[in-house]
Amino acid sequence: MKKTISISTLLIICTLCLSLKTYSQFPEDVLRLSTPGFGVGARSIGLGMAYTGVANDFSAAYYNPAGLAQLRMNEVSVGLQNVSFGNTGSFFTNDQSLTNSGTNLNSLGLVYAVPTKKGSFVLAIGYNRQSDFTTGLSFAGFNPNSSIVQSFAPDGGLTPNPSGNLAYELYLANADSIGPNTYRWDSKITDNVTQSGKVLESGGLNHVSFSGAVETAKDLYLGLTVNILSGSYNYQRNYYEDDLRNIYTTSPFDLRSLSLLETVESDLSGFNANLGFLYKFGENSRVGISVKTPSWITVSEVYSQSGSSDFDNNDHFEYVVADRVHNEYDVTTPFVFSAGLSYGIRNVMLTADLDYTDWTQMEFRNANSTLLSYNTQIKEEFQPTADIHIGAEFEPIAGSLQLRGGFAYLRSPYQNDPANFDKKYITAGAGFLVADAIAIDLAFAHGYWKNFRVNYDATSRVDEDITTNNLIGTVSYRF
C-alpha cells in the first residue's frame, strides 16, 4: 500500500524498536528528489513544458542542450517564479484548507555563441531551479477508531524496555514487568479523540549548469549539460490529540491533550548530466531527444522529535526523543528519456513531448542495512510512467507578440493509483519582443490532483485535494 508512512510517522514508529538515529527516511524521500521540477523558462512553461523539440533559448540547457546550437547570438536571461500550493485536507468528513507559497529565482543564464566559419558551437552557464518542495497540509476531526498512543504502546503488547518510549515518558502508558527484560503495555487511550495538525514543507533543488552544443551537420545538433546540484528540504509537523468529549476521566489516563513536534532539515548536494539530440527540418519544425542521467545526491539530515502531555489533574509532562540528530545517506534517481516534436505552420507552432521514467530504479545508497531494505519496497510499490506534454504557440503580430497554451499529464509513479492521483497542468503564456533584442515572456500554470497522507496508520488518514498556481516571468537579452 502506498503512502502508508510519512517521515514523521516513521520517526514515531522507530522509537518502538529501533534507534532513532538512522531511520527517518523512507521511499518517498527518494521520490521527492527524483521528481522533475515544474520547469525552467516562461516560454517552455507556457507551452506545457513541451520543449524538447523546441529548445531555442537558454532553457534548452535544462530540456535539451542540443538546442543551444540553434542560437546565433549571445543571450543573457533571468527568470523569477511564484509558487502557490493549496491543499484541502478531508479528515472524517471535516475539511480544512491550507496555502503555502514561495518566490524564488527560476533561472539565470548566459549563452555564448562562439564565432565559427561553418555550423555553430555554443557554450552556456547558468542556474536553474529544478524542483520546489513548497507544500502544506492542515486537518482536524474526531477520530472514533484509534489514537496515536497505540502506535507507541499498543495496549497488551510486549516491549523489552519501556524507557525512551514517548508514550511511556509522557505518562500515556504504563509498562508492567512480566519477566526478565519483558514488559506488557497498559495503555487505555485507544480511540475517540479529536486529532488535528499542520504540516509545512519548503526548500528546493537547484542546478548550476555547464552546457555545450555543436552543429555536427546542417540542421543536426548535439549537446551536453553537466549539472552541479545543491538545495535544501525542510519539514515540520505539529500534531495534536485532545479529549474534547471528556471520555478519558479515570486516572492515570485522564488525558486532556497530547502534542507532538517533528522537524527535518536536509542539505542536498550532487550532480547529473543531460545529453541531447535535435534535428531541424522545414522552416520551423524540429525533432529532439534528450537523456537525463540519474542524479547522484547526498542528503545530510538533521531531525528532532519531542512531545508533551496534559491531564485533567493539571499534570504536564514533556519529553525530547531526538534533538537535532544527524544522519547522512545517498540517493540515486532514475534515468529520464524524452522525445519531442515541434511543427510550424505559418504563424502557428504545435509541440509535443513524451517523457519516460522507470521509478523502480530509485534507490538508497551508502546507508545502513535497514535503510537499504527500502530499495526492495521501491521495486514493489513503484512503476514506469510515460508523461505527456502538449503546447501551441500563435504569433498574431510577427516578430512582436506570441500567445501560448499547453497541457501536461504526469502519471502517478505508484502502482494501482487511480487516475485522479495523476498530476494535470493547464498552462498559458505570452511573449513580447522589444527592440528586436529583449524578449519578455510570462507564463501561468494551474495544477491539480489528489493524494493522501496518514498520521500513523490507515485508521487516521487525511485525503488531500491539491492545487498549485505558478506564475513565472523571464527576461532575455540577445546581442
Side-chain angles (χ1 to χ4, degrees):
M1 186 70 177
K2 67 174 283 279
K3 305 183 187 75
T4 55
I5 302 178
S6 69
I7 291 179
S8 52
T9 304
L10 197 54
L11 284 168
I12 294 171
I13 293 173
C14 292
T15 63
L16 300 176
C17 57
L18 298 170
S19 166
L20 190 62
K21 293 182 179 180
T22 56
Y23 302 106
S24 65
Q25 306 79 25
F26 68 111
E28 201 151 324
D29 286 320
V30 187
L31 178 62
R32 182 185 308 106
L33 299 178
S34 300
T35 303
F38 188 72
V40 173
R43 186 185 182 209
S44 63
I45 291 169
L47 290 169
M49 296 79 77
Y51 216 60
T52 304
V54 181
N56 59 357
D57 56 20
F58 167 71
S59 62
Y62 177 84
Y63 292 98
N64 182 357
L68 290 169
Q70 300 177 89
L71 276 67
R72 295 298 191 265
M73 300 177 68
N74 303 326
E75 177 182 305
V76 176
S77 68
V78 60
L80 292 176
Q81 69 176 11
N82 176 265
V83 180
S84 178
F85 181 94
N87 193 349
T88 299
S90 180
F91 186 65
F92 288 97
T93 71
N94 185 54
D95 292 348
Q96 282 201 354
S97 297
L98 181 143
T99 299
N100 194 9
S101 62
T103 300
N104 49 65
L105 186 66
N106 176 255
S107 63
L108 177 64
L110 171 64
V111 178
Y112 176 62
V114 179
T116 59
K117 293 183 178 180
K118 185 178 181 181
S120 67
F121 176 45
V122 178
L123 300 174
I125 183 172
Y127 163 93
N128 298 312
R129 180 80 163 182
Q130 173 182 299
S131 304
D132 194 289
F133 303 141
T134 300
T135 73
L137 170 67
S138 180
F139 67 92
F142 180 77
N143 185 344
N145 301 324
S146 65
S147 164
I148 198 172
V149 173
Q150 295 301 307
S151 68
F152 292 103
D155 190 41
L158 302 180
T159 180
N161 184 1
S163 297
N165 181 284
L166 189 58
Y168 180 78
E169 301 293 350
L170 294 180
Y171 292 83
L172 301 169
N174 291 325
D176 301 322
S177 176
I178 61 173
N181 297 319
T182 304
Y183 298 81
R184 187 181 303 279
W185 288 116
D186 176 22
S187 174
K188 305 308 180 187
I189 304 172
T190 57
D191 51 29
N192 291 305
V193 291
T194 298
Q195 299 176 335
S196 60
K198 180 179 291 186
V199 177
L200 292 175
E201 294 176 286
S202 61
L205 189 61
N206 311 309
H207 285 173
V208 174
S209 62
F210 304 88
S211 305
V214 61
E215 185 177 13
T216 58
K218 181 175 174 55
D219 296 327
L220 177 63
Y221 310 99
L222 299 176
L224 170 68
T225 294
V226 176
N227 297 303
I228 306 301
L229 309 180
S230 64
S232 64
Y233 169 71
N234 300 290
Y235 172 98
Q236 177 176 313
R237 182 178 82 149
N238 297 84
Y239 174 86
Y240 306 94
E241 283 194 2
D242 297 282
D243 183 20
L244 297 182
R245 302 191 180 185
N246 205 29
I247 293 172
Y248 296 99
T249 59
T250 303
S251 181
F253 301 114
D254 52 333
L255 174 70
R256 180 189 302 164
S257 64
L258 161 67
S259 67
L260 300 174
L261 172 63
E262 293 124 7
T263 64
V264 179
E265 302 172 6
S266 301
D267 290 325
L268 312 172
S269 60
F271 64 95
N272 65 16
N274 186 2
L275 296 88
F277 160 90
L278 188 137
Y279 177 68
K280 184 176 180 180
F281 61 97
E283 182 64 24
N284 193 27
S285 302
R286 310 168 187 86
V287 60
I289 297 173
S290 76
V291 178
K292 297 179 177 67
T293 72
S295 297
W296 294 273
I297 302 173
T298 297
V299 181
S300 180
E301 176 182 273
V302 174
Y303 56 93
S304 302
Q305 181 193 37
S306 61
S308 66
S309 58
D310 290 279
F311 295 84
D312 291 340
N313 63 2
N314 293 321
D315 281 346
H316 174 80
F317 303 98
E318 298 180 358
Y319 184 70
V320 177
V321 181
D323 185 16
R324 298 193 62 79
V325 177
H326 180 264
N327 188 30
E328 188 168 295
Y329 57 96
D330 295 336
V331 301
T332 301
T333 72
F335 277 94
V336 179
F337 301 92
S338 301
L341 173 68
S342 63
Y343 187 73
I345 309 172
R346 295 183 180 178
N347 59 345
V348 174
M349 182 185 70
L350 305 177
T351 180
D353 274 18
L354 181 68
D355 300 333
Y356 176 84
T357 308
D358 184 356
W359 299 96
T360 66
Q361 296 177 356
M362 300 183 299
E363 63 176 345
F364 289 101
R365 304 184 69 181
N366 298 322
N368 58 76
S369 58
T370 301
L371 189 55
L372 293 175
S373 69
Y374 286 114
N375 291 333
T376 301
Q377 184 177 343
I378 289 171
K379 301 295 184 185
E380 295 171 347
E381 292 187 355
F382 291 90
Q383 64 180 352
T385 62
D387 299 334
I388 298 172
H389 306 261
I390 57 174
E393 182 176 79
F394 172 59
E395 192 171 23
I397 304 176
S400 297
L401 175 65
Q402 297 170 328
L403 302 177
R404 306 178 184 111
F407 179 75
Y409 190 100
L410 315 181
R411 287 195 60 200
S412 170
Y414 287 95
Q415 296 183 25
N416 304 316
D417 261 355
N420 58 7
F421 280 47
D422 299 337
K423 296 180 180 180
K424 281 78 71 176
Y425 292 96
I426 300 171
T427 70
F432 310 90
L433 186 63
V434 180
D436 295 327
I438 300 175
I440 301 174
D441 293 292
L442 301 174
F444 176 78
H446 174 73
Y448 57 97
W449 64 92
K450 295 187 182 296
N451 204 342
F452 70 82
R453 302 195 197 196
V454 298
N455 295 312
Y456 46 88
D457 63 32
T459 64
S460 182
R461 164 173 161 161
V462 184
D463 291 299
E464 302 175 277
D465 190 352
I466 297 171
T467 60
T468 63
N469 291 302
N470 292 21
L471 180 63
I472 298 180
T474 304
V475 178
S476 304
Y477 173 63
R478 290 186 176 178
F479 58 96

